Amino acid sequence: MNLKNLLVLAIICTCFIQNASAQVLSSISPGQIWPDQQGKHINAHGGGVLFHEGKYYWFGEHKTEGKSGNRANVGVGVYSSADLYNWNNEGIALKVAKENSGSEIEKGSIIERPKVIYNAKTKKFVMWFHLELKNQSYNAARTGVATSDKVTGPYTYVKSFRPNAGIWPMNFNDAWKNKTVKEADLKAWTDEWRKEVAEGLFVKRDLQKGQMARDMTLFVDDDGKAYHIYSSEENLTLHLAELTADYLAFTGKYITIEPGGHNEAPAIIKHQGKYYLVTSGCTGWDPNAARSFVADSIWGPWKSLGNPCVGEGADLTFKSQSTFILPVAGKKDTYIFMADRWTPENAIDGRYIWLPMTIEDGKPVIKWQDNWKLTKE
């Protein structure tokens, strides 16, 4: 057998082994290794899912091994699926730049919670994400945007910045704008400090340079308008901001939600005309009890509904943290609560907690299931 034939045989054998190692899945097992169609654990953490032209696309942080694996060493990964059980690795949608390149998204920066939406007018896929600049820990608190002509990429990085510089929230009390108290005048976590935070202490501090933007999600309403929801003000307050028609910038219309409430990891859906928001508290990589909110308008007011999780493990969101709520295409009122079970000592081993979410008596409800399937309806 000549060298050429040997090479062909080796390729055939390799493909056979890869296919043999892949499982055909027909259910979801939260917290377990979730193999892709190549047999490897899916690597798309803190992610979100876009349904486009009959397929689901799961975008998420590509982690690597060890503690340093939580940094952006590779970029944002993307997987595709027709059934939400079996996922094919489509590669890296947004690649980080080489070290010392001077790029804001060079290797070693932090890229978290990427979400992608499709703009039907521009025919562009738009990705937003939380960005921390290299060697600045979590001090930059910026939001970044990238675009692509193809859903799987490659995505081209556009820019990063802090949102809504020089603009007050629409639901901000005019009397608070004239306050002269400063952060240095207060002792953190006292009643007086909490009162000032709720009355815009950090909004005013960051007004000129733009508001901090960390944990985030995107939402496209029925009318095609898109919104960016992010944890701001030192993770103390959520901001909900309208995006421009091309989804590449902010219009300047935004509100604060739960000022001083210490919410992050936002995830949102619209159900029967109402908006439901699920968040987490702020305890670093450690899990805590989820929170939920409801509003008749995207602009609020938002009402607290408490912990949407019920049963054993509810007090720690089943040892996970929310990242996205996915409406299942073609299945009325069917939602999947997507969350991450972080493993900061070995980032690549993070697990996915996907569970059915229902709306019962006007409140979101999430119950643990070891294994579950989508209904046929």
Side-chain angles (χ1 to χ4, degrees):
M1 186 177 290
N2 60 36
L3 183 60
K4 183 178 180 181
N5 289 336
L6 281 172
L7 182 60
V8 171
L9 181 61
I11 293 171
I12 292 172
C13 289
T14 299
C15 292
F16 177 79
I17 292 169
Q18 289 176 340
N19 290 333
S21 65
Q23 305 173 44
V24 177
L25 304 176
S26 59
S27 62
I28 294 173
S29 299
Q32 302 300 311
I33 289 289
W34 195 339
D36 63 19
Q37 290 186 300
Q38 290 72 44
K40 294 182 178 179
H41 183 49
I42 292 170
N43 197 341
H45 309 267
V49 175
L50 171 68
F51 182 73
H52 183 72
E53 295 184 348
K55 265 192 176 182
Y56 296 93
Y57 296 89
W58 179 359
F59 297 84
E61 306 159 28
H62 183 100
K63 303 284 192 184
T64 53
E65 293 184 356
K67 292 182 180 180
S68 64
N70 282 313
R71 295 192 174 275
N73 296 316
V74 179
V76 175
V78 56
Y79 293 76
S80 65
S81 175
D83 59 12
L84 293 172
Y85 305 132
N86 299 280
W87 293 88
N88 185 59
N89 188 350
E90 299 284 356
I92 302 301
L94 175 67
K95 293 182 179 179
V96 297
K98 293 180 180 179
E99 287 187 283
N100 303 316
S101 65
S103 170
E104 291 180 334
I105 61 165
E106 72 174 60
K107 183 179 179 181
S109 61
I110 297 173
I111 292 175
E112 294 181 337
R113 299 182 179 270
K115 305 294 185 288
V116 173
I117 50 179
Y118 178 65
N119 192 300
K121 294 179 180 178
T122 64
K123 310 298 182 185
K124 294 279 187 181
F125 296 91
V126 181
M127 176 190 295
W128 286 88
F129 49 89
H130 165 211
L131 175 66
E132 297 292 347
L133 304 177
K134 187 177 180 180
N135 298 325
Q136 293 190 29
S137 186
Y138 278 81
N139 294 317
R142 299 167 77 89
T143 188
V145 61
T147 65
S148 176
D149 294 324
K150 289 178 57 181
V151 61
T152 55
Y155 284 74
T156 300
Y157 177 65
V158 178
K159 59 184 175 181
S160 79
F161 57 102
R162 285 190 173 188
N164 296 310
I167 303 172
W168 296 102
M170 294 191 300
N171 61 341
F172 202 77
N173 191 314
D174 284 340
W176 299 344
K177 297 177 184 179
N178 299 318
K179 285 197 167 195
T180 58
V181 64
K182 296 182 180 179
E183 191 178 356
D185 302 330
L186 303 166
K187 185 177 180 180
W189 306 110
T190 61
D191 289 343
E192 183 185 8
W193 180 87
R194 292 177 188 277
K195 177 179 180 295
E196 293 301 332
V197 169
E199 295 181 1
L201 178 69
F202 292 111
V203 170
K204 189 168 186 177
R205 182 198 69 180
D206 296 335
L207 186 67
Q208 296 309 314
K209 61 183 176 183
Q211 301 300 318
M212 302 176 84
R214 291 186 177 141
D215 279 11
M216 57 138 291
T217 194
L218 299 176
F219 173 71
V220 180
D221 211 337
D222 302 331
D223 58 4
K225 288 186 177 180
Y227 301 87
H228 187 296
I229 306 167
Y230 52 95
S231 188
S232 191
E233 302 175 41
E234 304 290 355
N235 287 8
L236 289 162
T237 303
L238 287 174
H239 289 191
L240 184 151
E242 184 182 72
L243 293 177
T244 52
D246 59 8
Y247 301 168
L248 296 177
F250 292 82
T251 64
K253 293 178 64 177
Y254 77 106
I255 59 169
T256 59
I257 300 175
E258 283 289 294
H262 232 186
N263 286 281
E264 62 179 14
I268 187 173
I269 57 163
K270 187 176 185 179
H271 171 81
Q272 295 182 3
K274 292 182 181 288
Y275 300 86
Y276 292 89
L277 180 66
V278 175
T279 71
S280 82
C282 301
T283 50
W285 296 110
D286 296 326
N288 55 63
R291 296 94 174 268
S292 62
F293 305 87
V294 66
D296 292 326
S297 164
I298 194 79
W299 298 117
W302 287 86
K303 175 188 174 183
S304 176
L305 297 174
N307 189 348
C309 299
V310 297
E312 185 178 353
D315 58 334
L316 292 177
T317 318
F318 313 115
K319 298 181 180 178
S320 70
Q321 185 183 38
S322 51
T323 184
F324 196 74
I325 302 171
L326 173 64
V328 180
K331 295 181 183 293
K332 186 180 179 182
D333 299 340
T334 301
Y335 309 104
I336 298 176
F337 172 75
M338 294 170 50
D340 291 273
R341 184 173 288 173
W342 304 113
T343 54
E345 297 298 316
N346 189 26
I348 198 171
D349 190 42
R351 306 298 174 86
Y352 308 104
I353 305 301
W354 285 27
L355 292 166
M357 190 182 90
T358 55
I359 305 298
E360 301 176 17
D361 298 322
K363 297 182 178 181
V365 175
I366 305 164
K367 299 176 182 177
W368 178 262
Q369 295 188 45
D370 290 331
N371 183 272
W372 62 281
K373 296 183 179 184
L374 290 162
T375 59
K376 292 182 179 180
E377 292 79 29

